[in-house]
Amino acid sequence: DSLFDKVYGIMEKHKEAFFAVYLHDPKVVDSLPPIQDPDPLINCEIMDGRDMFLNKAKELRLEFSSLRRAKFSTLHLLCGLHNLDQIMYTCNNCSKNVETRWHCPECTDFDLCIPCYEKIGHQHTMKKLGLG
């Protein structure tokens, strides 16, 4: 048995966890049609940077440690991206999910629920955002 056969055997057993990338000959690439994505671009602050994404995944307790968990977590995030009007915000003091909140435009991602804002306040001027 060659090393290639051993690696191929291992890969075949775990093919659900891998994906294949097919590369084109550089001479042919220029003649290929451009890739057309049928979905419109969605701008979302969750996907603007690694830290924001990881914080959101941690907040939602999403895991990517196995294929099954990664599939569920990805589906959960995609569903949230397509339903942006239903996003809930988390109070930075009591960690409750809120729709109406006080948001600090000077701090990075800092929101307080109404009871926490009235109880502890904040060092910067905050804006009330949300439904009520």
Side-chain angles (χ1 to χ4, degrees):
D1 286 336
S2 70
L3 179 61
F4 175 79
D5 292 332
K6 289 178 184 177
V7 170
Y8 185 79
I10 292 170
M11 295 279 289
E12 190 63 32
K13 288 180 192 173
H14 302 287
K15 64 183 170 187
E16 285 284 320
F18 296 100
F19 62 92
V21 175
Y22 297 98
L23 301 177
H24 293 283
D25 185 345
K27 298 172 189 167
V28 179
V29 170
D30 291 334
S31 66
L32 295 174
I35 296 172
Q36 297 293 325
D37 190 351
D39 297 320
L41 290 178
I42 300 173
N43 290 327
C44 179
E45 64 183 26
I46 295 172
M47 298 301 177
D48 281 347
R50 183 176 185 269
D51 289 336
M52 187 69 124
F53 173 78
L54 291 175
N55 286 338
K56 193 65 171 174
K58 182 179 177 184
E59 176 185 312
L60 296 172
R61 298 181 182 183
L62 301 177
E63 293 186 34
F64 297 88
S65 58
S66 69
L67 181 61
R68 183 178 64 86
R69 289 180 174 149
K71 284 180 179 180
F72 172 81
S73 298
T74 302
L75 183 63
H76 184 79
L77 281 171
L78 288 174
C79 185
L81 285 174
H82 286 281
N83 297 302
L84 288 175
D85 56 332
Q86 299 174 10
I87 286 183
M88 298 292 285
Y89 293 88
T90 304
C91 174
N92 286 74
N93 185 53
C94 68
S95 299
K96 289 183 182 175
N97 289 333
V98 293
E99 289 181 1
T100 303
R101 69 206 187 277
W102 286 92
H103 176 74
C104 178
E106 295 183 42
C107 296
T108 304
D109 191 30
F110 189 84
D111 300 295
L112 291 175
C113 64
I114 294 171
C116 287
Y117 175 75
E118 292 171 352
K119 183 178 174 184
I120 64 168
H122 185 60
Q123 63 193 17
H124 302 123
T125 303
M126 298 183 81
K127 289 197 263 185
K128 190 175 184 181
L129 302 173
L131 302 174

